[in-house]
Amino acid sequence: MAKNTKVVKFHTAMQFRIGIVIGLILLLYLGFHIFSYLTSKNTSVYEVEAGTIVQNNHYKALAIRQESVVTADHDGYPVYFARNGAIAGMRTQVYAMDDTGSVSKKLAKSDADISNVSKDDIEEIENSIHNFVKTYSRVDFNKTYAFQSDLSEMLEQSFRAGATAELSGNIDEAIAQNKFHYYITEKPGYLLYSLDGGEGITLDTFTSSSFDAASTKAKDLRTTGKLSTGDPVYKLITDDHWQMVMEIPQELVKRITDEEITYLEVKFDEDKSTSWGEVSLMEKEGLHFLVLNLDDSVERFADERFISVELMLDEKSGLKIPNSSIVEKEFNKVPIAYFYKGNNSSDLGVMKKGDASDEFVSLSIYKKDDNYYYIDPLELPAGSRLQMPDSAQTYTVGEEHTNLKGVYNVNRGYAIFQPIDILYSNENYTIIADKTAFGVDLYDHIALDGANITDNEVIF
């Protein structure tokens, strides 16, 4: 019997692959969100934080003083007696002029003999060293240099006094021969034996080039040897009143002007001492200058033309926000007298007059002063007529308006303008007052780029 090889094929049902469907749905969902992210506007958000703006208030100040330069009335070799930096009164013996140089040479040799120093002078020097060591602190190390200079002056004066006494016979003989002449001061002041070229600078004549320290070099008048007629011998600072001038940035000019600062405390970097100066502002060559008028400390910095100082300005603390968040928006000013609570609610609003009927409109208040509420024009456009409660008096919105600075608060997912009270700003950040009515609070979220935000915009 033959074998039946016929094969019968059965149709199988199409299988439903749920995994593929879910994968497609997820892919479409992910693609939609990627497309939405790439095509939608995404806003960077900044969380408001407490902060402080610290400004670098260190400046190089130009010292302007009342300075009188005394010159030689004839040729000769100067012999100095008064100490550099000493207070010279009327008719103080400052120097002598040795016509031939014979006496000055002998004095120079005798200056090196320590036996010429009196016991009183040695005790004074020892007491000065003892007092300095007793009060010395590493914090005030800069004072060491000032003490070194003072000590050198004391030693030099002691040597010179002893040498002069030893050579009194030679000096008397030279005086008798009209070859040795003493000179005294004609007015009081602080005595200095150096010039730096800035003695003639005044508030009227200083320029930006006056601040070039590299072009200014002090000249010690005691090392010049022989003097000719008209050469400078010494100078006197004849007034305790002096000025320090420094170039300052525009933002500091604005702060001084806005806060009506009339006096400033200044700290001298050299010895950390402080003083107060009366403030005035000047503008020259397109630059801004601060002038501090002082009545003390002139003797401590008498031999310095340029002084490093720190202005002791208070640091501004509050809420710190980036400048990019700040925008300006116009608001209508509406008299407070037109507001009342209506419609059995606690919301403030106004009665807006219409052609057919009047309507109570509840309004958001952005700022308040003694007489006005500040209202967004989107809520109450200019031209709207308002009725004062219990009165026939009306007011037309838009008669008074102003601009307010503020930021966009995005806490609720959409942009709400909030005014700010600016305390201080620098190039990148602004410090604003905390806990102000209708204002921003700590940890609020605001739009980082306020200029690209519109009112009530949904924030992604």
Side-chain angles (χ1 to χ4, degrees):
M1 183 174 179
K3 187 177 179 180
N4 188 2
T5 61
K6 186 176 181 179
V7 177
V8 180
K9 295 182 179 180
F10 293 92
H11 294 283
T12 58
M14 191 168 119
Q15 295 182 359
F16 181 73
R17 297 183 179 277
I18 188 66
I20 296 176
V21 174
I22 294 175
L24 289 173
I25 293 175
L26 290 175
L27 185 62
L28 289 172
Y29 178 82
L30 181 61
F32 171 77
H33 278 276
I34 292 175
F35 177 79
S36 298
Y37 176 81
L38 294 175
T39 57
S40 64
K41 178 182 176 181
N42 292 279
T43 301
S44 297
V45 175
Y46 177 85
E47 184 177 79
V48 178
E49 59 184 23
T52 299
I53 290 181
V54 181
Q55 184 181 5
N56 180 11
N57 291 317
H58 288 268
Y59 297 95
K60 180 182 71 175
L62 171 69
I64 297 178
R65 298 173 283 250
Q66 295 291 325
E67 297 169 315
S68 176
V69 179
V70 178
T71 58
D73 61 1
H74 70 281
D75 298 353
Y77 297 85
V79 179
Y80 294 97
F81 297 105
R83 182 169 61 89
N84 184 56
I87 301 175
M90 289 290 292
R91 304 185 66 79
T92 295
Q93 189 180 87
V94 178
Y95 77 104
M97 187 67 83
D98 181 12
D99 295 354
T100 63
S102 59
V103 175
S104 61
K105 290 179 181 178
K106 293 178 181 179
L107 284 172
K109 292 180 179 179
S110 299
D111 281 349
D113 188 357
I114 194 172
S115 63
N116 288 328
V117 181
S118 68
K119 294 181 65 174
D120 292 339
D121 288 342
I122 293 176
E123 288 182 3
E124 182 181 358
I125 293 170
E126 288 177 344
N127 289 333
S128 298
I129 296 174
H130 175 75
N131 291 333
F132 176 79
V133 172
K134 185 177 180 180
T135 60
Y136 172 75
S137 171
R138 285 183 293 177
V139 177
D140 299 325
F141 179 75
N142 286 336
K143 292 182 179 180
T144 304
Y145 299 107
F147 175 72
Q148 180 185 21
S149 178
D150 292 341
L151 188 61
S152 296
E153 289 291 340
M154 292 174 64
L155 285 168
E156 183 178 344
Q157 187 177 25
S158 298
F159 281 128
R160 180 53 52 86
T164 302
E166 183 182 6
L167 296 175
S168 59
N170 300 82
I171 293 174
D172 291 340
E173 182 180 350
I175 292 175
Q177 297 174 359
N178 199 30
K179 296 179 180 179
F180 197 88
H181 314 274
Y182 284 104
Y183 289 88
I184 59 176
T185 54
E186 297 180 357
K187 50 187 173 182
Y190 296 99
L191 181 66
L192 292 170
Y193 295 128
S194 62
L195 300 179
D196 57 25
E199 285 73 21
I201 297 176
T202 67
L203 287 179
D204 295 328
T205 62
F206 85 86
T207 64
S208 58
S209 61
S210 302
F211 290 83
D212 184 10
S215 63
T216 302
K217 188 175 181 180
K219 177 183 179 182
D220 192 339
L221 300 176
R222 293 171 295 182
T223 61
T224 55
K226 185 178 181 179
L227 296 179
S228 300
T229 302
D231 286 345
V233 185
Y234 67 92
K235 75 176 178 183
L236 282 175
I237 297 176
T238 57
D239 199 330
D240 287 329
H241 183 74
W242 61 301
Q243 292 86 29
M244 287 196 303
V245 184
M246 60 206 79
E247 183 186 345
I248 60 174
Q250 174 63 41
E251 60 188 37
L252 183 53
V253 174
K254 184 178 185 301
R255 179 177 177 183
I256 291 173
T257 303
D258 291 347
E259 298 181 15
E260 298 180 351
I261 297 176
T262 56
Y263 282 87
L264 270 178
E265 186 180 16
V266 61
K267 178 187 287 186
F268 299 97
D269 289 344
E270 181 177 330
D271 61 3
K272 307 305 178 184
S273 62
T274 60
S275 182
W276 285 86
E278 186 178 8
V279 171
S280 60
L281 297 172
M282 297 181 67
E283 185 173 348
K284 283 189 176 186
E285 304 172 0
L287 303 174
H288 302 282
F289 296 94
L290 168 66
V291 181
L292 285 181
N293 298 275
L294 301 101
D295 292 312
D296 61 7
S297 304
V298 67
E299 73 282 1
R300 297 210 314 276
F301 304 98
D303 58 349
E304 297 183 32
R305 184 63 58 188
F306 300 101
I307 306 172
S308 296
V309 298
E310 178 185 3
L311 300 180
M312 305 302 287
L313 291 164
D314 293 333
E315 297 177 353
K316 290 298 182 181
S317 299
L319 300 181
K320 187 176 181 180
I321 62 173
N323 291 344
S324 60
S325 296
I326 301 175
V327 294
E328 198 167 287
K329 180 178 169 65
E330 185 179 55
F331 286 86
N332 290 322
K333 298 172 67 173
V334 180
I336 294 176
Y338 284 82
F339 283 79
Y340 67 101
K341 295 178 181 179
N343 293 342
N344 298 319
S345 73
S346 60
D347 296 334
L348 281 173
V350 294
M351 183 60 68
K352 181 179 179 182
K353 298 185 68 64
D355 295 334
S357 61
D358 298 341
E359 174 190 9
F360 176 81
V361 180
S362 177
L363 297 172
S364 300
I365 297 171
Y366 288 82
K367 186 178 179 181
K368 174 188 176 183
D369 59 28
D370 293 337
N371 301 308
Y372 296 96
Y373 285 129
Y374 293 71
I375 306 300
D376 192 334
L378 294 176
E379 294 189 48
L380 194 63
S384 302
R385 293 179 60 244
L386 309 181
Q387 178 78 48
M388 182 182 290
D390 302 324
S391 172
Q393 188 172 347
T394 62
Y395 177 80
T396 302
V397 177
E399 292 180 358
E400 297 179 88
H401 54 85
T402 189
N403 290 341
L404 296 179
K405 288 186 177 181
V407 297
Y408 280 106
N409 188 313
V410 298
N411 285 346
R412 300 179 182 178
Y414 58 93
I416 301 174
F417 181 88
Q418 286 186 299
I420 57 176
D421 184 5
I422 296 177
L423 300 179
Y424 184 68
S425 297
N426 64 14
E427 294 180 357
N428 300 311
Y429 289 93
T430 292
I431 297 295
I432 63 175
D434 191 8
K435 299 178 181 178
T436 57
F438 318 109
V440 179
D441 292 324
L442 184 64
Y443 305 127
D444 276 351
H445 292 85
I446 61 176
L448 183 62
D449 188 4
N452 290 325
I453 303 297
T454 57
D455 291 276
N456 301 315
E457 178 182 336
V458 176
I459 303 300
F460 293 94

